[in-house]
């Protein structure tokens, strides 16, 4: 078999050049025209087709006047060969685009950040010259920082947006936005007449809490511990938006991040005055992972946006 790039088929190998020659010959049905199109001699093309038929053990071509046509086996093989080469060429183009600063960036984000911060940064990056050829794939299925971190560790993402900075031994983390916690009550609650509240004054009010799986649970519990104890818990759930929805339906009050969805729900938002309420969001990536030019450019863009103070959550 002649030398060249090969693909394995069982225990044998097929020459990729021969596959391309075969597809062009199948389209032109003429050795002379195919050879000119390929930039090779007609004897070289004839030799390649003979080698391909010998490799497969079946006739792919039949004589037709001064030209050729595909045999029944050639018709079957042409469909497979053309599809294989198309996929291969598409894969090569994607890798070339990545090398040249384009390609796809895979992002994972907890749901709260997937609604606000991540789209802001994606959009602003696409407006820059270095971001115009970059595509994004954003996975926002999880509400838990631990789950997106697992995806990062498994190599599913180039970056994740999380409320945790990740493992400092294996990841790099950039704090990119700050938010705060607020206290919410139904609109008909006695506290709805106020604009602020001390957590120590809410310890006897039934409240909706985050479940233990949500990293915010620990933060909220520490806030209440500093305020003097835990309130009665009426319900637990993982999602901050679900917590807000339950409060709107009268299942209790809650400490939640200040979310955009609160503006559309029948709840009253109260500022917390006796506890630190700031929370930080992070963009995290693996320290040992190879990063494409697009990934490096995106990181620098996020750093620039942080310096401008233009990212909100």
């Amino acid at each position: 078999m002649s030398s060249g790039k090969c693909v394995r088929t069982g225990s044998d190998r097929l020459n990729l050049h021969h596959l391309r020659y075969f597809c062009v010959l199948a389209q032109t049905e003429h050795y002379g025209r195919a050879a000119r199109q390929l930039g090779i001699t007609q004897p070289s093309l004839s030799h390649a087709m003979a080698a391909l038929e010998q490799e497969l053990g079946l006739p792919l071509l039949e004589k037709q006047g001064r030209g050729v046509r595909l045999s029944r086996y050639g018709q079957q093989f042409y469909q497979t060969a053309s599809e294989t080469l198309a996929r291969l060429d598409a894969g090569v183009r994607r890798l070339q685009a990545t090398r040249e600063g384009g390609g796809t960036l895979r992002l994972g984000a907890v749901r709260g950040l997937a609604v606000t911060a991540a789209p802001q940064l994606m959009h602003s990056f696409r407006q820059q010259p270095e971001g115009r050829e970059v595509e994004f794939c954003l996975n926002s299925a999880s509400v838990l920082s631990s789950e997106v971190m697992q995806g990062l560790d498994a190599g599913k993402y180039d970056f994740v947006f999380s409320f945790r900075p990740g493992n400092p031994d294996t990841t790099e983390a950039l704090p990119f936005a700050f938010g705060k916690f607020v206290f919410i009550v139904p609109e008909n609650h006695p506290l709805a007449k106020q604009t602020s509240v001390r957590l120590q004054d809410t310890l006897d009010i039934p409240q909706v809490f985050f479940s233990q799986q949500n990293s915010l649970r620990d933060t909220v519990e520490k806030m209440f511990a500093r305020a003097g104890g835990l309130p009665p818990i009426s319900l637990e759930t993982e999602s901050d938006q679900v917590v807000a929805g339950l409060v709107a339906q009268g299942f209790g009050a809650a400490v939640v991040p200040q979310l955009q969805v609160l503006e559309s729900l029948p709840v009253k938002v109260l500022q917390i005055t006796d506890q630190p309420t700031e929370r930080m969001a992070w963009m995290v990536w693996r320290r040992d992972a190879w990063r494409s030019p697009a990934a490096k450019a995106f990181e620098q863009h996020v750093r620039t946006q942080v310096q401008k103070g233009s990212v909100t959550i």
Side-chain angles (χ1 to χ4, degrees):
M1 182 176 174
S2 61
S3 61
K5 298 178 181 178
C6 301
V7 292
R8 290 192 176 276
T9 58
S11 60
D12 299 321
R13 295 184 300 171
L14 290 180
N15 188 300
L16 284 178
H17 292 312
H18 292 180
L19 294 184
R20 294 192 187 278
Y21 296 170
F22 169 72
C23 288
V24 172
L25 183 56
Q27 294 162 5
T28 61
E29 296 185 332
H30 192 277
Y31 272 96
R33 288 194 293 270
R36 287 192 295 272
Q37 184 173 328
L38 291 165
I40 61 175
T41 65
Q42 186 169 328
S44 295
L45 178 58
S46 298
H47 176 75
M49 292 303 95
L52 182 59
E53 288 182 322
Q54 182 178 2
E55 187 74 47
L56 295 173
L58 290 168
L60 302 177
L61 302 161
E62 298 174 347
K63 290 184 178 180
Q64 179 175 259
R66 295 185 177 182
V68 292
R69 66 181 180 185
L70 294 176
S71 69
R72 56 179 292 195
Y73 310 112
Q75 292 172 5
Q76 295 173 12
F77 186 63
Y78 173 70
Q79 181 176 352
T80 300
S82 59
E83 291 175 354
T84 298
L85 290 173
R87 288 196 295 269
L88 178 63
D89 291 341
V92 170
R93 287 193 296 270
R94 285 194 294 270
L95 291 179
Q96 289 174 335
T98 299
R99 181 191 64 199
E100 295 168 3
T104 300
L105 290 180
R106 304 162 304 157
L107 308 181
V110 294
R111 203 164 296 160
L113 296 177
V115 174
T116 54
Q120 290 174 33
L121 292 166
M122 292 160 61
H123 175 74
S124 59
F125 182 61
R126 288 290 300 274
Q127 306 309 304
Q128 305 303 312
E130 62 271 23
R132 288 173 186 161
E133 300 301 321
V134 176
E135 300 294 332
F136 286 101
C137 179
L138 175 63
N139 186 322
S140 58
S142 176
V143 298
L144 304 179
S145 293
S146 59
E147 289 183 359
V148 295
M149 288 300 178
Q150 289 171 4
L152 181 67
D153 291 340
K156 291 174 57 179
Y157 307 123
D158 299 301
F159 298 96
V160 297
F161 296 93
S162 168
F163 290 112
R164 290 181 177 178
N167 184 342
D169 295 330
T170 59
T171 62
E172 300 283 348
L174 171 66
F176 70 90
F178 301 88
K180 64 179 181 179
F181 289 94
V182 293
F183 192 78
I184 59 173
V185 296
E187 286 184 330
N188 60 356
H189 193 278
L191 289 179
K193 299 177 182 179
Q194 302 178 194
T195 59
S196 63
V197 69
R198 298 186 306 173
L199 284 190
Q200 68 181 51
D201 296 331
T202 70
L203 297 181
D204 60 344
I205 299 174
Q207 298 189 32
V208 182
F209 257 51
F210 296 104
S211 64
Q212 296 288 351
Q213 289 76 22
N214 193 314
S215 61
L216 295 179
R217 172 65 175 258
D218 182 61
T219 302
V220 173
E221 284 187 346
K222 288 179 179 178
M223 292 172 67
F224 275 106
R226 290 191 296 266
L230 286 177
I233 298 175
S234 58
L235 279 172
E236 296 183 10
T237 185
E238 290 184 357
S239 168
D240 46 15
Q241 296 186 40
V242 175
V243 170
L246 291 170
V247 171
Q249 295 302 316
F251 285 93
V255 174
V256 296
Q258 189 159 23
L259 307 167
Q260 287 185 340
V261 71
L262 299 180
E263 300 174 5
S264 61
L265 292 174
V267 298
K268 179 63 182 293
V269 178
L270 308 178
Q271 303 303 313
I272 299 171
T273 60
D274 64 338
Q275 295 296 324
T277 60
E278 187 178 81
R279 68 169 184 162
M280 188 178 298
W282 304 80
M283 185 176 79
V284 189
W285 61 95
R286 288 172 54 194
R287 180 175 296 155
D288 62 348
W290 180 85
R291 291 196 297 154
S292 67
K296 294 177 182 178
F298 184 64
E299 179 202 337
Q300 184 56 51
H301 174 74
V302 174
R303 291 185 183 277
T304 300
Q305 297 302 106
V306 171
Q307 292 173 357
K308 293 179 179 178
S310 57
V311 186
T312 59
I313 58 175

